[in-house]
Amino acid sequence: MGRLVARRLLWGVPMLLLVSFFSFLLVSLVPGDPARSVLGPLAPQEQVDTLHQQMGLDRPLPEQYASWLGDAVRGDLGASLVTGTDVGQLLTPRLPATLSLIIPATLTAALVGIVLGVASAVRGGVLGRLVDMLSMVGLAVPGFWLALVLVSWFAVRWRLFPATGYTAFADSPVEWLRSLVLPVAAVSLGAVTAVAKQTRDSMLDALNRDFVRVMQANGLSRWSIVYRHALRNAAIPVVSVLGVICASLLGAAVLVENIFGLPGLGSGAALAAVQHDIPLLQGAVIYFTLIVIVVGLVVDVCHAWLDPKVRTR
């Protein structure tokens, strides 16, 4: 298991390099001048040119990236062009809000989706068709539209949950939970239906295998066959889907955090893009990439636990 973790971590290094390079390239192509954004539209062109040189934006792009990468390796992601504050100091306090959104949403998708998928596979009939229908609806409904509907119903009309804002867990666990109910519901609907559909298909495949028939012939209970043996075999593709879903929720977090006013990485990245704050936006991309690497590592560890053959590869 240790060799598996070390190998996956080593694969994360070139992934970080590639993502950082292409994000640096794409951000540089965004229309607008960071120096002009800092000084304002009425600033004289001479001041803009001077600040442009001070920021190092007049240097060739490969030189700019090499300079940034050298600092990033030492843990320095630069300073915000707008506020002058260290990027790490701006983004690290935003990390708990994003994780508080992504982790509960993934757990909700896993628990509810697996329960629905197993039940529909075992019982079939109406429940199976219902899961298929919910899967289509969940994938078709945009998360931002669902977020607006949830705010309209549960925050404005019935006043059950706050419409915007975020309370840290250390300040008040109850208010922390209340501030996350609507955002988590908004981003997890599509994830729940995707997990339910994958679980149902994987369970049907597992229940039709020969080892299940042998167990039935040997008199094993239905509960033991379904939950101790078939579900373990069906869980491998489900775990892979959960890993993809968790990573994709980072993209949904950009919109949902802005709708609900959550001070997370997504809203910080959106603000940095509007202000053309290249160091802050580049730092947010690095944070997102690190989260994806950790998610991939967790998925690989779960695969190794579920399938011993993976540990020997």
Side-chain angles (χ1 to χ4, degrees):
M1 186 70 74
R3 285 170 40 181
L4 174 65
V5 173
R7 188 164 59 247
R8 293 299 186 266
L9 289 176
L10 288 176
W11 273 108
V13 175
M15 179 179 178
L16 269 174
L17 292 175
L18 286 174
V19 171
S20 65
F21 173 76
F22 283 109
S23 63
F24 197 92
L25 177 63
L26 292 175
V27 169
S28 66
L29 298 177
V30 175
D33 188 348
R36 175 65 67 181
S37 301
V38 173
L39 295 175
L42 301 180
Q45 186 61 39
E46 294 78 7
Q47 294 183 9
V48 175
D49 294 339
T50 301
L51 184 58
H52 207 265
Q53 294 177 358
Q54 292 175 356
M55 291 178 175
L57 300 177
D58 58 330
R59 296 179 295 172
L61 188 63
E63 185 179 341
Q64 293 182 41
Y65 176 72
S67 177
W68 175 88
L69 183 61
D71 294 335
V73 170
R74 296 190 295 269
D76 181 11
L77 295 177
S80 169
L81 298 181
V82 177
T83 64
T85 308
D86 183 76
V87 169
Q89 295 179 4
L90 291 174
L91 293 179
T92 301
R94 291 178 172 270
L95 186 59
T98 296
L99 295 181
S100 296
L101 175 63
I102 299 303
I103 294 177
T106 304
L107 293 177
T108 300
L111 295 176
V112 179
I114 289 174
V115 169
L116 286 176
V118 172
S120 63
V122 173
R123 296 183 179 274
V126 176
L127 186 57
R129 291 191 292 272
L130 179 62
V131 168
D132 290 337
M133 183 184 69
L134 289 177
S135 299
M136 296 178 62
V137 173
L139 295 176
V141 174
F144 69 89
W145 179 85
L146 180 61
L148 295 175
V149 172
L150 292 176
V151 169
S152 176
W153 287 356
F154 295 98
V156 177
R157 179 177 299 180
W158 296 325
R159 301 182 183 278
L160 297 177
F161 304 103
T164 59
Y166 172 78
T167 302
F169 181 84
D171 295 336
S172 174
V174 175
E175 291 302 318
W176 171 81
L177 182 60
R178 293 184 70 247
S179 66
L180 290 175
V181 169
L182 296 184
V184 168
V187 299
S188 61
L189 174 63
V192 166
T193 55
V195 173
K197 175 65 174 175
Q198 180 62 59
T199 303
R200 175 174 175 266
D201 294 342
S202 299
M203 280 294 296
L204 289 175
D205 179 67
L207 291 173
N208 289 325
R209 292 184 182 178
D210 293 338
F211 76 90
V212 172
R213 299 188 182 93
V214 173
M215 291 178 181
Q216 291 173 341
N218 290 332
L220 268 70
S221 65
R222 180 71 169 172
W223 185 93
S224 178
I225 294 174
V226 171
Y227 294 101
R228 294 186 59 185
H229 300 282
L231 182 57
R232 185 182 181 93
N233 283 270
I236 296 176
V238 175
V239 169
S240 299
V241 170
L242 280 172
V244 174
I245 287 174
C246 185
S248 65
L249 290 179
L250 293 173
V254 176
L255 293 174
V256 173
E257 286 179 3
N258 279 281
I259 292 174
F260 289 99
L262 300 181
L265 294 175
S267 59
L271 180 61
V274 171
Q275 297 176 336
H276 208 80
D277 195 340
I278 296 178
L280 185 59
L281 186 57
Q282 185 75 1
V285 171
I286 296 301
Y287 273 65
F288 281 133
T289 306
L290 289 173
I291 294 175
V292 171
I293 291 174
V294 172
V295 170
L297 178 61
V298 172
V299 169
D300 289 335
V301 171
C302 291
H303 278 171
W305 176 68
L306 293 170
D307 187 0
K309 293 185 293 185
V310 175
R311 306 171 197 169
T312 61
R313 293 178 185 174

